[in-house]
Amino acid sequence: MRPLLDHLRRFADRTAVLTDTTTLSYRELADRVTWCARDLGTRRTLVLLEARNDIEALTHYLAALAAGHVVLPVPEGADTDALIATYRPGIIVDRHGMRGGDDAPPVLHDDLALLMSTSGSTGSPKLVRLSHTNLAANARAIAGYLDIRDTDRAATTLPMSYCYGLSVIHSHLLVGAALILTDRSVAEPAFWELFDHHRGTTFAGVPYTFELLDRVGFAEMRLPHLRYVTQAGGRMPPERVRQFAALGERRGWALFVMYGATEATARMAYLPPEFARTHPGAIGRPIPGGSFTLEPLKGWPDDTGELVYRGPNVMMGYAERAGDLALGATVDALRTGDVGRRCAPDLYEVIGRTSRFVKMFGLRIDLQRLETSLADDGMPALCTDTGDGLAVVAAGAHDPDDVRRRVARASGLPVAAVRAAAVPALPLLPSGKPDYPRVRTLVADGPPAQESAELIDLFADVLHLDPAHISTDATFVDLGGNSLSYVTMSVRLERALGHLPADWPRLPIRELERRPGPRPRWWRSWGTTLETSVALRALAIVLVVCSHAELFEMWGGAHILLGIAGYNFARFCLTPLSRPERFRHLRTTIAWIALPAVAWVAFALVVTDDYHLSNLLLANKFLGPHDSMTAGRLWFVEVLVWTLIGLTLLFWLPVADRLERRAPFAVAAAFLAVGMALRYDVPGLGLGHDAWFTMLAFWFFAIGWAAGKATTALQRAIVTVVLIVGVHGYFGNSLREALVTTGLVLLIWLPTVRCPAVVALAAGAIAEASLYTYLTHFQVYPLFGSHRLYGVVASVVIGIALTAVVTQVRARMRDRRLTARDPARAPALR
């Protein structure tokens, strides 16, 4: 135990770990590891650890190593039955805590430290055996060629159960650098807020990570502390290597492309940044302490050969049964299976494969074993790679989508990465060997995946877009989704997926497919998931109508709606998209609020005496008249529209846009401070209670905005305190203040609620229609005189009906556009 603990304590008060809510020094981390190691005990055993990127999992991992145990990290939520049955761990640590395992754990070799999955296995519990020497040698080599410094702070963008992710932890703890522990994706704004807040200097990615970076506007982000970015986990297209290398040169950070395998404790080669633009297809040079040889291959040119790697980081060997854990080193060189050649002095590139292993999404997949597994399961098939996924052809009357799902389960790949076709007989060459080029051809022109097609159709239907123009890389926000359409989308998406990921508006369609599927039956029996903002929106508009119709008085709904509007502004308008895209989304959002409002006012001016010409400009609060009984009815819409217009003009300025991207919560908090200054009349305007219904009520919008950008418990607590202080005494009515406070506190702290499906559907319909209900109810409920309940019900029903009509009109307009563009599609659209 002593060497690892001494190493941690050597860095004393240097920062070791940073999370959303916690900062640990190396001394504090060492203390936690010490306590945890005592709980694990001194009897050497195998520890199966559910590895998450959090302090608890990191502490257990280090404690197990410090106490001399052997660790087997597994992904969060993984099915570990086969591993437990095969290797009989003595201790199991998962989300439920630590518990004892097998009373007779296997015998462990003295040098054995870590067991890692051979990624992409097809159900086989085959593991890689790594020694303490392997771990130390690879960590030293990585720290050396990356020049990792004790001032570096690395974000954990990859899981700890993956050798690449674990190597980031080893190499940074080796030199006294810090880890920013997070499970968030680089597609989430909250990741970048955390990264910037903790002055992150580096992060790691697989090829798909860089696709996400392209989509979230990484090129425009201001990350002043970023020093370098690493890429491994599969071949990245040379053009993308050039792209990010050039971006790094412009922005002052370096791109390291790397090559490795679990069997080499992660890394075998790296491409120095200076070669990334001139040799983007190369794997680079061997890491310090390692070397390559090219072993001749029959049928390949003389200057090529199988890449064979030697170095102190080469594994001890494989394990396929518990008895193998007692073995010493059984290999001294790693045959990679890659065909390589020198492309420059001391640089290597991979030009092919000697076997049927492929690597994608950070997984190494044995295609031969995959085919065998499928055949054993009654599905004869041929599998080959397409560069960014798998092509699979199955023989027999199989449903291609069933083929995709079974291949995904067997390989560990997401369903979206598999394309499949079913044929009467497997394609063969004249020699009788499998015709893999034909496999690619058979699936290349096939229809899109059923799950993808269904989700694309769903997005197209809700957002009134052409399905043909929707990519599986697109997100709800990318496609122009906003607060007016997300209610319908959230309800329908929850029904389609059986669950509703909290971050669904910013997840690409293909990523939605990868998220865990429907919850277990016991969970579904509790109802369905409903976003709290949707529930509050439905409740608030009902309270507004009831209070105005004098069915009962419970005021405050409009102010809750204003807070929700600010919350949605933060989520759907201030996104990681480019500045022009942000502007387009804001412009669309304003139009879909202002245009219906102006149209209804115009109608009301003709048939009633309720409004004045100033209402057509949504400017009654500016232009008057102020003494009319009806002129101020639309105050909520006026405040919202002019607030959005002002913020749109502000964030069109490049400097404001950059500042908001760099410090989103700080900017929101600054506007909240301005709103509070207006709330307490610091300028001395002396409007009194009139301020409830004017632009001075902006601070409710700012509360929602800050809540939408809050990513830590401390930030949410700050917003909550400001809310409670600001609402206290604001209305002079305790019930109203309690209602508004409760509603907005729920918005801050409770993202979703569970409720019966019928309640969720009703709430979704009412919330979606909240704008049209608000606009029209003033003219509807008076028609029912003293029958107030009928007036309330009619107001809500008419709001829902108008929303449905507008939705249908938008759908027909879309269909006409598509028909005009392609007349052949008219029958399908009808």
Side-chain angles (χ1 to χ4, degrees):
M1 184 185 303
R2 181 58 56 190
L4 177 56
L5 291 174
D6 286 346
H7 175 79
L8 296 176
R9 294 189 188 283
R10 168 186 160 204
F11 298 109
D13 294 324
R14 291 204 58 80
T15 299
V17 177
L18 301 145
T19 71
D20 282 337
T21 58
T22 306
T23 299
L24 293 180
S25 68
Y26 270 87
R27 180 181 286 110
E28 291 168 329
L29 177 61
D31 288 342
R32 292 193 181 210
V33 170
T34 301
W35 300 328
C36 186
R38 290 170 182 163
D39 291 339
L40 291 171
T42 57
R43 180 190 174 196
R44 191 166 189 255
T45 189
L46 176 61
V47 178
L48 187 144
L49 171 66
E50 185 178 71
R52 304 174 306 277
N53 289 340
D54 61 23
I55 291 176
E56 183 178 5
L58 176 65
T59 301
H60 276 92
Y61 173 70
L62 295 175
L65 292 180
H69 301 302
V70 177
V71 188
L72 170 51
V74 296
E76 183 178 9
D79 183 355
T80 58
D81 290 348
L83 287 172
I84 292 174
T86 301
Y87 293 104
R88 309 192 313 272
I91 298 173
I92 298 172
V93 182
D94 57 21
R95 71 191 73 183
H96 305 298
M98 184 172 68
R99 66 182 188 273
D102 199 295
D103 291 334
V107 176
L108 304 172
H109 192 276
D110 290 344
D111 292 340
L112 186 62
L114 183 66
L115 296 171
M116 297 292 287
S117 169
T118 55
S119 54
S121 63
T122 58
S124 167
K126 184 177 181 180
L127 300 175
V128 172
R129 297 183 291 120
L130 300 172
S131 68
H132 294 281
T133 299
N134 294 153
L135 301 185
N138 208 234
R140 281 194 299 270
I142 294 170
Y145 72 73
L146 290 180
D147 185 28
I148 300 177
R149 306 165 187 172
D150 59 8
T151 53
D152 277 321
R153 295 182 168 190
T156 55
T157 45
L158 302 168
M160 195 191 302
S161 57
Y162 175 30
C163 66
Y164 186 8
L166 197 55
S167 73
V168 173
I169 292 173
H170 291 161
S171 56
H172 284 77
L173 292 182
L174 178 70
V175 300
L179 298 170
I180 304 173
L181 286 183
T182 178
D183 275 319
R184 290 193 175 98
S185 163
V186 296
E188 299 177 58
F191 170 85
W192 297 109
E193 292 167 15
L194 182 70
F195 188 82
D196 186 57
H197 175 71
H198 287 314
R199 303 191 302 280
T201 63
T202 182
F203 63 90
V206 296
Y208 180 58
T209 306
F210 290 80
E211 293 181 35
L212 293 178
L213 293 177
D214 259 347
R215 191 172 46 75
V216 301
F218 175 71
E220 298 177 7
M221 293 183 187
R222 188 174 182 276
L223 301 168
H225 304 287
L226 183 62
R227 278 209 317 122
Y228 65 92
V229 176
T230 63
Q231 182 271 316
R235 182 178 184 271
M236 192 157 74
E239 60 273 14
R240 182 156 283 154
V241 174
R242 285 196 186 96
Q243 170 196 342
F244 279 91
L247 176 63
E249 288 179 11
R250 293 196 304 272
R251 291 301 187 93
W253 50 264
L255 173 67
F256 285 85
V257 175
M258 307 187 299
Y259 169 80
T262 308
E263 290 85 344
T265 326
R267 298 279 71 81
M268 290 183 280
Y270 72 100
L271 183 65
E274 60 267 25
F275 294 114
R277 295 182 69 180
T278 57
H279 294 83
I283 62 169
R285 62 177 55 142
I287 65 171
S291 65
F292 284 125
T293 57
L294 294 173
E295 303 216 350
L297 289 167
K298 185 177 180 179
W300 288 88
D302 292 340
D303 63 341
T304 67
E306 182 181 6
L307 271 176
V308 178
Y309 176 82
R310 291 176 174 81
N313 53 312
V314 172
M315 66 176 176
M316 298 174 69
Y318 290 113
E320 297 191 70
R321 58 191 64 83
D324 294 340
L325 304 187
L327 299 176
T330 57
V331 297
D332 59 3
L334 180 60
R335 305 188 71 89
T336 66
D338 286 326
V339 180
R341 67 182 176 194
R342 290 179 182 269
C343 57
D346 205 27
L347 293 185
Y348 291 82
E349 65 179 347
V350 171
I351 60 172
R353 291 286 300 168
T354 64
S355 65
R356 300 201 58 232
F357 281 90
V358 295
K359 192 166 187 179
M360 56 187 66
F361 290 85
L363 303 176
R364 200 174 74 129
I365 300 167
D366 183 340
L367 296 180
Q368 186 62 53
R369 178 172 286 189
L370 179 59
E371 290 176 355
T372 301
S373 175
L374 293 171
D376 291 344
D377 201 26
M379 183 183 284
L382 296 179
C383 308
T384 187
D385 71 292
T386 61
D388 59 354
L390 285 186
V392 181
V393 168
H398 298 287
D399 180 353
D401 289 297
D402 181 49
V403 176
R404 295 174 62 245
R405 284 188 287 270
R406 289 166 75 173
V407 170
R409 282 197 301 269
S411 66
L413 288 173
V415 176
V418 182
R419 293 184 68 86
V423 295
L426 296 177
L428 301 175
L429 296 168
S431 63
K433 294 182 178 180
D435 187 351
Y436 289 110
R438 179 63 177 156
V439 170
R440 296 188 187 96
T441 302
L442 286 170
V443 303
D445 299 323
Q450 181 176 330
E451 289 88 344
S452 294
E454 289 176 354
L455 288 183
I456 286 173
D457 287 343
L458 174 58
F459 275 70
D461 188 40
V462 173
L463 299 175
H464 308 291
L465 300 172
D466 182 355
H469 293 163
I470 297 179
S471 163
T472 55
D473 287 327
T475 71
F476 175 74
V477 172
D478 294 340
L479 296 171
N482 54 35
S483 60
L484 304 175
S485 50
Y486 96 98
V487 176
T488 302
M489 181 62 78
S490 64
V491 173
R492 292 185 60 181
L493 196 61
E494 205 276 344
R495 289 163 59 192
L497 298 177
H499 65 294
L500 191 65
D503 51 351
W504 70 264
R506 295 194 179 97
L507 288 177
I509 293 172
R510 67 173 176 177
E511 187 76 13
L512 286 171
E513 293 178 343
R514 302 177 193 176
R515 290 298 169 112
R519 302 281 188 171
R521 186 180 300 275
W522 67 265
W523 173 263
R524 296 199 300 272
S525 67
W526 285 88
T528 189
T529 301
L530 180 67
E531 289 201 13
T532 302
S533 62
V534 175
L536 288 173
R537 194 160 146 185
L539 177 62
I541 192 61
V542 169
L543 292 180
V544 167
V545 176
C546 289
S547 298
H548 284 154
E550 298 181 356
L551 179 64
F552 57 77
E553 285 194 359
M554 191 170 289
W555 302 102
H559 291 83
I560 293 176
L561 287 173
L562 198 56
I564 294 171
Y567 183 73
N568 289 331
F569 169 75
R571 298 170 72 200
F572 304 125
C573 296
L574 298 184
T575 66
L577 296 175
S578 65
R579 187 165 57 91
E581 284 296 303
R582 275 187 171 188
F583 181 78
R584 183 175 66 81
H585 286 189
L586 280 163
R587 183 187 62 196
T588 302
T589 299
I590 293 169
W592 281 104
I593 298 171
L595 293 180
V598 171
W600 183 256
V601 170
F603 171 76
L605 280 172
V606 174
V607 300
T608 72
D609 295 325
D610 286 350
Y611 297 126
H612 297 267
L613 290 176
S614 62
N615 292 113
L616 279 174
L617 300 175
L618 301 180
N620 173 261
K621 286 297 178 182
F622 301 110
L623 304 178
H626 304 292
D627 56 354
S628 167
M629 291 294 293
T630 61
R633 286 179 172 180
L634 301 180
W635 74 271
F636 166 76
V637 176
E638 291 185 14
V639 169
L640 180 55
V641 167
W642 288 105
T643 295
L644 291 175
I645 290 174
L647 292 173
T648 299
L649 294 175
L650 175 66
F651 287 119
W652 176 247
L653 299 175
V655 63
D657 180 77
R658 287 195 299 270
L659 181 62
E660 196 283 330
R661 291 177 192 275
R662 182 181 179 187
F665 178 76
V667 169
F671 276 90
L672 178 55
V674 172
M676 292 299 290
L678 296 175
R679 177 259 183 271
Y680 285 105
D681 197 18
V682 173
L685 301 176
L687 292 178
H689 284 177
D690 288 342
W692 295 356
F693 313 110
T694 68
M695 293 301 296
L696 300 186
F698 163 78
W699 73 276
F700 288 98
F701 181 94
I703 282 282
W705 178 4
K709 290 300 183 184
T711 58
T712 68
L714 176 60
Q715 291 172 347
R716 293 187 186 93
I718 292 171
V719 177
T720 304
V721 170
V722 173
L723 167 67
I724 294 172
V725 171
V727 173
H728 179 68
Y730 185 75
F731 298 108
N733 180 305
S734 298
L735 178 61
R736 189 173 193 172
E737 290 169 3
L739 176 68
V740 173
T741 301
T742 301
L744 295 180
V745 166
L746 289 174
L747 183 70
I748 295 168
W749 290 98
L750 188 65
T752 61
V753 294
R754 297 291 293 179
C755 63
V758 65
V759 174
L761 289 173
I766 294 170
E768 182 186 11
S770 58
L771 174 63
Y772 290 92
T773 301
Y774 188 90
L775 291 173
T776 61
H777 80 282
F778 294 109
Q779 284 73 46
V780 174
Y781 72 77
L783 300 177
F784 293 84
S786 61
H787 300 287
R788 294 183 176 89
L789 178 59
Y790 295 154
V792 169
V793 172
S795 297
V796 175
V797 169
I798 287 176
I800 293 173
L802 273 176
T803 302
V805 168
V806 172
T807 300
Q808 286 299 315
V809 169
R810 291 186 67 190
R812 288 181 179 275
M813 290 171 59
R814 178 200 65 172
D815 292 348
R816 287 181 180 177
R817 289 197 308 270
L818 300 183
T819 301
R821 203 177 298 156
D822 184 2
R825 299 180 64 174
L829 293 172
R830 284 197 295 269

